[in-house]
Amino acid sequence: MKIDLWFATPIYSHDLQGDRAFLIQQELKAIIQQEYNQILTQDDANARSYIQSRQPEHRQVLHKYDLVHTHEFILEQAALFIKKLNPKANHIEIRESWFNFYRPGDSQEVHTHVHHTHPSFVSGSFYLDAPENSGDIKFYHPNFSAPIATEEVGLETFEACYTAKQNRIVLFRSHVPHSVMPNRSSKTRISLSFNVYIA
Ligand SMILES: [Fe+2]
């Protein structure tokens, strides 16, 4: 008998530590309240349980606030991942970046980051604040609608969870379906999400 394992679904994760984590935390914490207050006043943010705006100016936070350390870190991490996925890719850029605020009880349904007008290659999240039990990110088999998908652990394992943890970055191909489990803590979970393109 022979079973070939083709078509893997790679997920990248890294826990940032030390001085650089401190620097990035400082950079993000300096502007986070301002962004939260601005998003709160947007109609499109009020239409969902977690607070996140779809408006273009809130999708450019790395540039809007000139978050140089965070930008450099995400680009470096994405380059490490993309080098494995597509060794010939020599220029990558982050074209969208935005904050997500999950208050207690908030969650996010299954979605992908691929739109025909915005064909991003890799997407991800960096956790600025992730209290215990504030909601794992859950990935699903990209053949989501296939009748062969199973919840049983086996060669076609259907779901994979990553715990949201402060200073953790998680990267995935933009077409991979994912959701955010409910925030069961008493505090707000804050993440910075982004889409990376091969230019
Ligand atoms: Fe997402």
Side-chain angles (χ1 to χ4, degrees):
M1 186 180 89
K2 178 173 178 266
I3 298 176
D4 296 317
L5 286 175
W6 292 108
F7 315 125
T9 306
I11 308 285
Y12 177 105
S13 62
H14 175 68
D15 293 333
L16 181 63
Q17 291 172 337
D19 292 349
R20 202 172 182 197
F22 180 74
L23 201 64
I24 288 175
Q25 282 285 333
Q26 255 191 336
E27 184 175 73
L28 295 176
K29 292 226 157 118
I31 56 93
I32 202 69
Q33 192 61 42
Q34 187 185 338
E35 183 68 10
Y36 181 81
N37 293 341
Q38 282 187 20
I39 291 177
L40 262 182
T41 62
Q42 308 299 314
D43 289 342
D44 67 334
N46 289 330
R48 62 194 72 216
S49 61
Y50 56 98
I51 302 174
Q52 178 208 58
S53 172
R54 289 267 186 240
Q55 298 194 12
E57 66 268 31
H58 293 123
R59 297 256 145 186
Q60 295 296 335
V61 292
L62 290 175
H63 298 297
K64 182 182 168 190
Y65 295 106
D66 200 20
L67 304 170
V68 287
H69 299 296
T70 310
H71 193 173
E72 185 188 66
F73 169 65
I74 293 172
L75 214 47
E76 172 199 295
Q77 294 292 302
L80 289 172
F81 186 37
I82 291 172
K83 208 180 204 175
K84 297 280 186 192
L85 301 173
N86 183 347
K88 288 189 176 159
N90 51 23
H91 184 72
I92 60 169
E93 55 191 41
I94 304 165
R95 293 198 194 146
E96 292 99 33
S97 52
W98 64 97
F99 287 106
N100 310 286
F101 300 91
Y102 291 81
R103 292 159 303 186
D106 287 349
S107 61
Q108 189 183 28
E109 71 242 21
V110 184
H111 66 284
T112 75
H113 288 214
V114 169
H115 307 279
H116 28 271
T117 52
H118 297 85
S120 86
F121 189 72
V122 156
S123 299
S125 286
F126 175 74
Y127 300 105
L128 171 61
D129 239 324
E132 211 173 328
N133 298 320
S134 62
D136 289 358
I137 182 167
K138 190 188 265 195
F139 294 98
Y140 302 88
H141 197 302
N143 294 341
F144 187 60
S145 57
I148 51 164
T150 170
E151 285 183 39
E152 299 302 318
V153 174
L155 293 183
E156 286 201 304
T157 297
F158 184 61
E159 300 177 351
C161 278
Y162 284 70
T163 303
K165 188 182 163 199
Q166 190 178 50
N167 297 326
R168 175 168 287 173
I169 187 168
V170 177
L171 304 172
F172 49 93
R173 284 281 276 115
S174 300
H175 68 277
V176 178
H178 56 283
S179 65
V180 177
M181 306 311 286
N183 179 356
R184 300 278 182 227
S185 78
S186 57
K187 296 178 188 146
T188 300
R189 168 196 196 276
I190 307 173
S191 60
L192 170 60
S193 292
F194 43 84
N195 292 327
V196 184
Y197 292 70
I198 294 179

